[in-house]
Amino acid sequence: ETGVTQSPTHLIKTRGQQVTLRCSSQSGHNTVSWYQQALGQGPQFIFPYYREEENGRGNFPPRFSGLQFPNYSSELNVNALELDDSALYLCASSLERGRSYEQYFGPGTRLTVT
Amino acid sequence: DQQVKQNSPSLSVQEGRISILNCDYTNSMFDYFLWYKKYPAEGPTFLISISSIKDKNEDGRFTVFLNKSAKHLSLHIVPSQPGDSAVYFCAAISNSGYALNFGKGTSLLVTP
């Protein structure tokens, strides 16, 4: 069984730039959720993708967007980067809602915005 | 507005003793609760969960207790081992959404 993988591991960007982060879900899982974890905080929910569609959103602006592909992998795109976007970005895969509540996390991508 | 709260940022316990990590929540719509463990430079690892229709769930050395009337849950680790040293996050989810709502975490240190 393959776990959740994320790429890249680390990334440094300049304010105003755009970034794309990638996630491959655990085998057998069809839902991917993205979270942002700032230093000293718990992960904050951004949005989930199920059946290639966004299914709800946490308190994040539209410049945070995503995609899910037919193989259930997913991308998180952030436009017009701000200094406060510096954080660990985590993706979590799961079975669809109603079958299981457990979400399994990848190792994360550390984004630094300068 | 923090709906899940872990009021102890850190906890130190001797090896072999019991570790008790606490968590409070405010949203009565939560119906499933999870504990995750996180080592530095790794993502959170799922540890144990409990449904709101239960008051206890046990898995080896780990037991989670839920008190719905007090909106409180706790994770007991018995006996504690040095390898348990990590940050522990409490999380909650309702059956109508995908969002895990996390606390800020409690850093557990188990000393030999």
Side-chain angles (χ1 to χ4, degrees), chain A residues 3-4 23 25-26 29 33 91-95 100-106, chain B residues 36 44-47 100:
Chain A
V4 180
C23 171
S25 62
Q26 183 169 310
H29 286 182
S33 298
C91 84
S93 76
S94 58
L95 295 171
S100 173
Y101 293 103
E102 284 94 18
Q103 297 183 18
Y104 296 86
F105 286 84
Chain B
Y36 285 84
T45 301
F46 170 71
L47 201 54
L100 284 173

Side-chain angles (χ1 to χ4, degrees), chain A residues 31 35 37 41-43 45 48 50 55 88 90 97 101-107, chain B residues 32 34 36 38 42-44 46 49 89 93 95-100 102-104:
Chain A
T31 302
Y35 292 80
Q37 186 179 14
Q41 304 293 317
F45 177 73
Y50 170 61
N55 281 267
L88 179 68
L90 297 160
R97 188 184 68 206
Y101 293 103
E102 284 94 18
Q103 297 183 18
Y104 296 86
F105 286 84
Chain B
Y32 206 77
L34 306 90
Y36 285 84
K38 188 178 187 300
E42 294 184 12
F46 170 71
S49 62
F89 289 99
I93 189 170
N95 67 3
S96 62
Y98 292 89
L100 284 173
F102 282 87
K104 291 187 177 182

Side-chain angles (χ1 to χ4, degrees), chain B residues 33-79:
Chain B
F33 303 88
L34 306 90
W35 284 93
Y36 285 84
K37 174 180 176 180
K38 188 178 187 300
Y39 293 116
E42 294 184 12
T45 301
F46 170 71
L47 201 54
I48 191 169
S49 62
I50 188 167
S51 164
S52 61
I53 62 173
K54 295 186 176 180
D55 54 19
K56 178 182 173 181
N57 188 27
E58 197 170 349
D59 184 2
R61 297 186 297 116
F62 302 91
T63 303
V64 56
F65 295 92
L66 175 62
N67 183 334
K68 280 191 70 179
S69 60
K71 293 191 175 68
H72 177 84
L73 63 155
S74 60
L75 174 67
H76 293 209
I77 306 174
V78 184

Side-chain angles (χ1 to χ4, degrees), chain B residues 12-45:
Chain B
S12 183
V13 171
Q14 275 194 317
E15 182 178 6
R17 300 284 185 103
I18 183 171
S19 295
I20 300 177
L21 296 95
N22 294 303
C23 178
D24 297 293
Y25 62 97
T26 58
N27 189 341
S28 57
M29 298 302 292
F30 290 145
D31 54 13
Y32 206 77
F33 303 88
L34 306 90
W35 284 93
Y36 285 84
K37 174 180 176 180
K38 188 178 187 300
Y39 293 116
E42 294 184 12
T45 301

Side-chain angles (χ1 to χ4, degrees), chain A residues 48-62:
Chain A
Y49 274 82
Y50 170 61
R51 292 185 176 175
E52 301 178 42
E53 290 187 359
E54 182 183 309
N55 281 267
R57 173 180 283 256
N59 191 25
F60 283 84

Side-chain angles (χ1 to χ4, degrees), chain A residues 2-46:
Chain A
T2 308
V4 180
T5 60
Q6 292 186 245
S7 62
T9 307
H10 295 89
L11 205 51
I12 299 175
K13 289 286 188 178
T14 303
R15 190 171 51 183
Q17 286 188 315
Q18 178 266 343
V19 70
T20 297
L21 311 181
R22 294 177 175 83
C23 171
S24 291
S25 62
Q26 183 169 310
S27 58
H29 286 182
N30 55 15
T31 302
V32 173
S33 298
W34 287 92
Y35 292 80
Q36 180 196 67
Q37 186 179 14
L39 207 58
Q41 304 293 317
Q44 295 291 311
F45 177 73
I46 303 175

